[in-house]
Amino acid sequence: MKSIFYSLFSLIFFQGIAQTFSPSEQHQIDSINAIINNPLSHDTDLASAYGNLSIILYVSNIDTIIPLCSKSIRIAEKSLTKNPTAKVTKSLKNSISDALNNIGYAYMDKGDFSQALKYFHKSLKIYEETKNKKGIGDSYNNIGMVYDYHGDSKLALKYYHKSLIVYKEIRNKKL
């Protein structure tokens, strides 16, 4: 079933854009394809693979983010009903949160700020639950971007500041 979905996905989304990927991106896509098509892949790997694929394909086609992230969420939510270990539960919840965050970014890019905020706040709630500091910082930053784009400087600065505090706490040197 997974390979049928991926084959269909490939026909729809890769046609005409595959040549635009760098060798590194193509390698990542091939690696993700191997996970998706492997019948022995664990749900944590599958959920993460669909989320990662959405990030790679975002640049060439933003419309791929929502369906891929929705697939990631469905896989993770289904797996959570099987009462996995605490470690697997945390991984699945972080995959859900990553996907929600990516969906929020897609809505922000399309100018739908209310939907973007909705998804960023859902993502933030799960990151807080799983104590994923980097995810919390990213969510604060993304919420700040929405307010910034929307022209609400006061709220934007509030969330940017929260993000900066978290990034300093985890020593994120990429800022």
Side-chain angles (χ1 to χ4, degrees):
M1 181 67 172
K2 288 186 278 188
S3 60
I4 292 170
F5 173 80
Y6 190 74
S7 296
L8 179 62
F9 174 81
S10 294
L11 285 173
I12 295 169
F13 293 111
F14 287 158
Q15 195 170 24
I17 60 171
Q19 298 85 358
T20 64
F21 296 114
S22 71
S24 172
E25 290 168 328
Q26 190 60 54
H27 176 73
Q28 289 176 320
I29 291 169
D30 293 343
S31 297
I32 291 168
N33 184 29
I35 293 167
I36 290 171
N37 287 313
N38 182 346
L40 301 177
S41 290
H42 193 275
D43 288 345
T44 55
D45 295 327
L46 284 172
S48 180
Y50 282 104
N52 290 335
L53 186 59
S54 77
I55 293 167
I56 294 168
L57 297 180
Y58 163 75
V59 174
S60 60
N61 187 348
I62 190 168
D63 293 328
T64 61
I65 288 180
I66 294 174
L68 288 171
C69 289
S70 296
K71 177 83 172 172
S72 175
I73 291 167
R74 284 191 303 276
I75 290 168
E77 286 177 340
K78 183 178 179 185
S79 190
L80 284 170
T81 65
K82 299 173 187 174
N83 297 318
T85 65
K87 183 178 178 180
V88 171
T89 296
K90 184 176 181 176
S91 177
L92 290 167
K93 286 184 177 185
N94 280 323
S95 287
I96 291 170
S97 195
D98 291 345
L100 291 168
N101 197 46
N102 291 347
I103 292 171
Y105 195 81
Y107 279 114
M108 184 177 69
D109 194 63
K110 292 179 178 195
D112 189 341
F113 299 119
S114 64
Q115 281 294 94
L117 280 175
K118 177 179 130 183
Y119 281 94
F120 289 148
H121 280 289
K122 282 183 179 182
S123 176
L124 175 61
K125 183 177 179 182
I126 296 169
Y127 284 139
E128 289 173 337
E129 180 184 325
T130 62
K131 297 176 177 39
N132 182 329
K133 293 285 191 177
K134 183 181 179 319
I136 292 168
D138 291 346
S139 291
Y140 283 149
N141 186 65
N142 290 341
I143 292 168
M145 281 194 308
V146 171
Y147 286 123
D148 196 10
Y149 290 148
H150 199 257
D152 191 336
S153 299
K154 186 174 181 177
L155 276 175
L157 286 173
K158 173 185 171 184
Y159 281 96
Y160 285 149
H161 186 256
K162 285 182 171 194
S163 176
L164 182 61
I165 290 169
V166 173
Y167 286 142
K168 281 184 176 180
E169 185 178 315
I170 61 173
R171 293 179 173 34
N172 187 335
K173 302 294 184 190
K174 294 181 181 179
L175 293 178

